Amino acid sequence: MKRQSGKIKIIVVDDIALDGVGWWRNSKPFGALEKLYGQFLEIHQATENVDARILETVDVVVRFRPCSKKSLEFLEVCKEFGTKIILDVDDNLWKVPLGHPLFLDSCFGFGDLLHEIYGLADKVWCSTDEIRFQVGDLERCEVMQNAILPSDMPEHPAEWGRKAMWRGHEKQVADLLSRSSYDWFEANREKYQWTFAGYVPDYPFKGDVRFQAKMQPLAYFLSLKKSQTNIMWKPMTENPFNDAKSNIALLEAAMAGGVCVTNYAGRKGWETAFADFPEEAEATAQFYIAREEIEENFNLREVTERRFQSIIELVNG
């Protein structure tokens, strides 16, 4: 029997190993939901192995990035219990490019599997408009962009030390090893103190460079804020998958007191990024512009309010 009164009970289902995207889509926003609306919501983190007895009392299941047969079976069980389903997606899984770990899977019935999975959703939360359009059925889909609080950013830019960072994992190897990205790095490798965090590409390293091993998300973000990074470099191969990418790199740059450099500069979500490496005066001025833009359009408090209203509408609809 479902809730008759009291708090709305939600279980939040993510992969066991929390990664950076999990922090942006799960830990950060659902921590904010609980903090701001905890008097109305009862939120529990869980896995797809959650006990069926718990599902009997749950109002809403939120599942992040489901793309497996196991996830389909889990969501079918949730549907049998009459539980409302929200699916959250941060990548255009319908347009997986060559070089991505999911590419081979995408060649063999992957699209049909995604169609079945997302057909079970009562709502789909997407990080960008491009993903929303890809999912289709726009009445079910809502954009819940990645967001931070103003307090997550310093008031002023980091001291200029020509510090540049790339952060990611092996899923981005195709972006890093494209000829244009390789040449772009080589042209700037001796101009900056470089940090490669989470993955090290086969680049002609020279000069001041350091490698940062994978870290737990919380430890990474604490480290990022102390890093005094001036430039977050985000090269991307131009394809439909990356066209739908959210601007996490730009947000992380601001958290460090820096700016973002990407070949996607000027596109939606990337308006305050640079298309090439700036000098100190340009970077300093742009940091304040980016900070204001983030506070206005990527503010976690505002996005959290929309998440809460979406949940209320779903449960009461």
Side-chain angles (χ1 to χ4, degrees):
M1 181 176 292
K2 299 298 180 182
R3 174 187 59 90
Q4 298 299 315
S5 62
K7 294 183 179 182
I8 297 171
K9 188 172 183 179
I10 302 169
I11 60 169
V12 177
V13 180
D14 205 346
D15 297 329
I16 295 174
L18 182 67
D19 60 8
V21 174
W23 187 88
W24 280 102
R25 302 304 295 174
N26 179 355
S27 300
K28 186 72 170 174
F30 276 84
L33 261 178
E34 194 155 21
K35 185 174 183 179
L36 293 174
Y37 299 104
Q39 68 269 40
F40 306 109
L41 306 175
E42 181 183 338
I43 301 172
H44 300 274
Q45 297 284 333
T47 70
E48 290 179 334
N49 294 322
V50 62
D51 195 301
R53 290 170 295 183
I54 295 176
L55 287 178
E56 289 182 341
T57 66
V58 168
D59 299 294
V60 180
V61 167
V62 181
R63 178 61 170 108
F64 298 92
R65 300 169 283 176
C67 59
S68 69
K69 182 68 175 176
K70 181 180 178 183
S71 289
L72 174 62
E73 293 169 351
F74 167 72
L75 294 169
E76 287 174 335
V77 171
C78 293
K79 210 70 175 178
E80 283 294 314
F81 278 102
T83 306
K84 299 294 186 181
I85 295 173
I86 298 174
L87 301 184
D88 187 286
V89 58
D90 187 57
D91 279 323
N92 188 350
L93 299 173
W94 294 261
K95 300 289 184 181
V96 179
L98 280 166
H100 193 282
L102 285 175
F103 176 75
L104 276 179
D105 291 333
S106 72
C107 297
F108 302 100
F110 193 61
D112 292 336
L113 177 60
L114 290 177
H115 181 76
E116 286 189 76
I117 289 173
Y118 284 84
L120 295 171
D122 296 290
K123 282 184 179 286
V124 180
W125 289 347
C126 310
S127 58
T128 66
D129 280 320
E130 289 78 6
I131 298 175
R132 177 172 175 254
F133 297 144
Q134 182 65 61
V135 175
D137 194 358
L138 301 185
E139 291 186 3
R140 287 189 308 152
C141 297
E142 300 175 65
V143 174
M144 301 291 176
Q145 63 267 50
N146 293 315
I148 55 178
L149 295 169
S151 58
D152 288 318
M153 300 177 284
E155 291 287 339
H156 303 288
E159 181 180 353
W160 186 252
R162 305 192 76 83
K163 292 183 178 180
M165 174 186 280
W166 177 90
R167 194 277 292 178
H169 44 69
E170 55 273 10
K171 290 180 182 179
Q172 280 107 37
V173 63
D175 293 330
L176 283 172
L177 295 184
S178 70
R179 172 49 61 183
S180 59
S181 297
Y182 186 96
D183 291 345
W184 200 4
F185 170 77
E186 192 167 24
N188 291 279
R189 65 178 176 174
E190 295 185 60
K191 299 177 183 177
Y192 297 91
Q193 299 175 38
W194 281 95
T195 296
F196 281 80
Y199 178 77
V200 180
D202 185 11
Y203 272 6
F205 293 112
K206 186 177 180 180
D208 197 349
V209 60
R210 74 185 189 95
F211 307 130
Q212 182 175 298
K214 292 181 180 178
M215 305 169 69
Q216 290 296 320
L218 183 57
Y220 165 73
F221 285 104
L222 290 174
S223 171
L224 176 69
K225 290 181 178 182
K226 298 176 182 177
S227 69
Q228 296 286 292
T229 296
N230 303 119
I231 291 169
M232 187 68 73
W233 185 48
K234 183 64 175 177
M236 291 185 280
T237 304
E238 294 199 23
N239 55 45
F241 183 83
N242 283 336
D243 291 348
K245 274 283 183 187
S246 59
N247 60 352
I248 286 175
L250 187 145
L251 300 177
E252 291 187 7
M255 293 172 73
V259 294
C260 181
V261 172
T262 176
N263 53 303
Y264 271 64
R267 303 193 190 191
K268 188 169 184 179
W270 303 98
E271 292 92 343
T272 59
F274 283 100
D276 210 345
F277 289 81
E279 292 300 324
E280 179 181 0
E282 296 176 289
T284 297
Q286 192 69 4
F287 169 79
Y288 292 109
I289 295 171
R291 193 185 191 285
E292 184 177 348
E293 168 74 11
I294 291 168
E295 187 169 350
E296 182 176 343
N297 294 314
F298 299 93
N299 192 313
L300 183 59
R301 181 173 290 273
E302 185 271 331
V303 179
T304 300
E305 181 179 340
R306 288 196 284 109
R307 276 193 171 93
F308 176 68
Q309 292 301 326
S310 180
I311 291 168
I312 294 297
E313 290 171 9
L314 181 59
V315 172
N316 294 335

